[in-house]
Amino acid sequence: MFAPRTTAWPLVALFTAGYLAPYLLPTVVGRLDSGLPLSPTQAGAVGSALLLSSASAGFLLASRVERIGVRRLARIGLTLAVLGYGVAALAHAVPSVVLGVVVGGFGSGTATAVAATRIAAQPDPHRATTLGLLGVSALAGGVYLTVPHLGPGHGQPLAAIALTALAVWPLTGRLPAATATSHQPGWDGSGLPHLRHGLTLAACMLCWSLAQNSLWGVSGRIGLTQAQLTETTVGAVFAVGLGAGLLGVTGAGALGPRLGKALPIGAGTALIAACIALSASATDLTTFATGEIAWNTFYPIVLSYLIGLAASLDTRGRWAVLVGSASSLGTAAGPLTGSVLSAQAGFPAMGAVLAVGLLVVAVPMTAVALGRRSGRTVEVAESLETVEVVEVVEIPLDTAEANPAAPDRLTAAT
């Protein structure tokens, strides 16, 4: 009864450690650009390599988390994150930085895969997801406020990710060492359930995350070059935006399933599209701050419902990991896509293209959410039809007179 509470906070911490790198992507890419002999496009490619490595870990481990062992795999992932990001933070040669970032990205993806698998098995996956998003948003906001005051160089945000993984490592002792999968329902080697919905959601999440991180990967440059703001001001805007995201995720956690998943996913994606177009066209602080803060408010809300939708497709957590990995794949391509689009067409045109793409993918994502709700209704109805009616009959006992303490009649179920 109390097992979920025992492991919930370690899972939230592991989720935070795994998701921190994507949340710090703008400052990581910006610092790589300014601190190393890299062009903006090359820095974006390094950021994409980090996230591609993270996505690769998810695809590789989607069905192997329980087999390898939750605690062991979590520790492997966190160790790789500490070593990889730590080396990248301390190194000054570009090849060493790239290698460290790729190794660290694989560690982040491994931690995320473990967290997603276990969260899908929680009684309330959406609540656990919102707690994780609250944690990563708060931590990333603190980093954005702190990094500009630590001097120039590419190492500070990478060191923050490494130190977070190091801090979370001791909490893995509260994760299960191994799982006896042979005694659990659903661990019979069967194929993925809800295949059509899962594949549709994975493909849409790839595009959805691609659009989000195409903007996120160049947001720092929009603020610095197009809006003519200082790094301190841009960092403050990001921190306020992440703070607004905390409020949004808190609200989403309080609402829970009351609005279903279709409305938050469909309407929320449309609002995100408008925010991206506004932020990409910003030429002053007011427009930039409005677009970024509004976008950071809605993005984690919709993401929490999407992760919850993926988790509802399979209690083993395989779709949660696979959809999350598809999202990471889109995230990985985001910085490079945003850099190329903005270099070729400018930031405002990039924002318009991304906004239109989001409106297109909102339709099938909403359809999956609606179909999943209908599917649950059918499953409940079918289960009710199979309930056996138990008839209660009265059987008089001849021995009642011999035993006055016994009741006159006993009932038996047939």
Side-chain angles (χ1 to χ4, degrees):
M1 175 177 178
F2 295 101
R5 294 186 180 181
T6 302
T7 60
W9 286 113
L11 287 178
V12 170
L14 194 63
F15 184 99
T16 299
Y19 262 82
L20 185 59
Y23 265 67
L24 294 181
L25 192 62
T27 189
V28 168
V29 172
R31 288 287 179 128
L32 289 173
D33 178 17
S34 63
L36 295 173
L38 295 172
S39 68
T41 301
Q42 290 172 331
V46 175
S48 293
L50 184 161
L51 297 171
L52 182 61
S53 180
S54 179
S56 300
F59 285 120
L60 180 65
L61 300 171
S63 60
R64 296 178 173 88
V65 172
E66 302 287 351
R67 190 185 313 165
I68 297 172
V70 173
R71 184 188 302 170
R72 177 190 302 173
L73 200 55
R75 288 178 171 175
I76 290 173
L78 293 174
T79 300
L80 290 175
V82 171
L83 294 176
Y85 294 123
V87 168
L90 297 174
H92 296 284
V94 171
S96 298
V97 173
V98 173
L99 178 61
V101 159
V102 170
V103 172
F106 194 89
S108 291
T110 301
T112 302
V114 175
T117 300
R118 298 298 299 176
I119 285 174
Q122 294 292 304
D124 189 354
H126 183 257
R127 180 178 180 275
T129 300
T130 55
L131 289 174
L133 290 172
L134 282 171
V136 72
S137 296
L139 182 58
V143 172
Y144 277 116
L145 287 174
T146 304
V147 164
H149 302 287
L150 299 179
H154 71 283
Q156 290 88 339
L158 295 171
I161 305 172
L163 291 174
T164 299
L166 183 63
V168 171
W169 202 96
L171 297 178
T172 59
R174 295 175 60 187
L175 295 173
T179 303
T181 57
S182 60
H183 299 292
Q184 291 183 1
W187 287 90
D188 55 358
S190 58
L192 285 167
H194 308 292
L195 187 61
R196 179 170 58 86
H197 284 167
L199 290 175
T200 301
L201 185 60
C204 289
M205 277 295 287
L206 190 154
C207 299
W208 190 85
S209 294
L210 173 66
Q212 310 292 330
N213 286 277
S214 292
L215 174 72
W216 192 231
V218 298
S219 287
R221 286 163 48 203
I222 293 174
L224 294 172
T225 60
Q226 184 170 277
Q228 296 293 306
L229 305 175
T230 65
E231 184 185 19
T232 302
T233 303
V234 171
V237 170
F238 288 159
V240 173
L242 291 171
L246 291 174
L247 296 177
V249 173
T250 302
L255 282 173
R258 291 183 181 86
L259 298 178
K261 290 185 175 69
L263 180 61
I265 289 172
T269 299
L271 289 172
I272 289 172
C275 295
I276 285 179
L278 178 64
S279 182
S281 63
T283 57
D284 55 40
L285 174 59
T286 301
T287 307
F288 179 75
T290 300
E292 289 290 330
I293 292 172
W295 175 63
N296 276 284
T297 300
F298 295 120
Y299 166 76
I301 295 175
V302 179
L303 179 61
S304 69
Y305 281 98
L306 286 170
I307 295 175
L309 177 60
S312 72
L313 296 176
D314 178 23
T315 56
R316 287 180 56 179
R318 290 170 296 178
W319 275 125
V321 176
L322 289 172
V323 170
S325 298
S327 174
S328 296
L329 195 61
T331 301
L336 184 59
T337 302
S339 296
V340 172
L341 280 176
S342 59
Q344 297 296 321
F347 293 121
M350 177 204 72
V353 171
L354 298 177
V356 171
L358 278 175
L359 293 176
V360 171
V361 300
V363 176
M365 287 195 306
T366 305
V368 169
L370 290 171
R372 182 60 187 144
R373 184 177 65 181
S374 300
R376 285 199 302 272
T377 302
V378 172
E379 290 170 3
V380 172
E382 290 177 349
S383 65
L384 289 176
E385 290 176 0
T386 61
V387 173
E388 295 182 359
V389 178
V390 179
E391 182 181 2
V392 178
V393 297
E394 296 180 349
I395 301 177
L397 298 180
D398 295 336
T399 60
E401 295 178 358
N403 185 8
D408 291 339
R409 293 184 178 87
L410 296 178
T411 57
T414 62

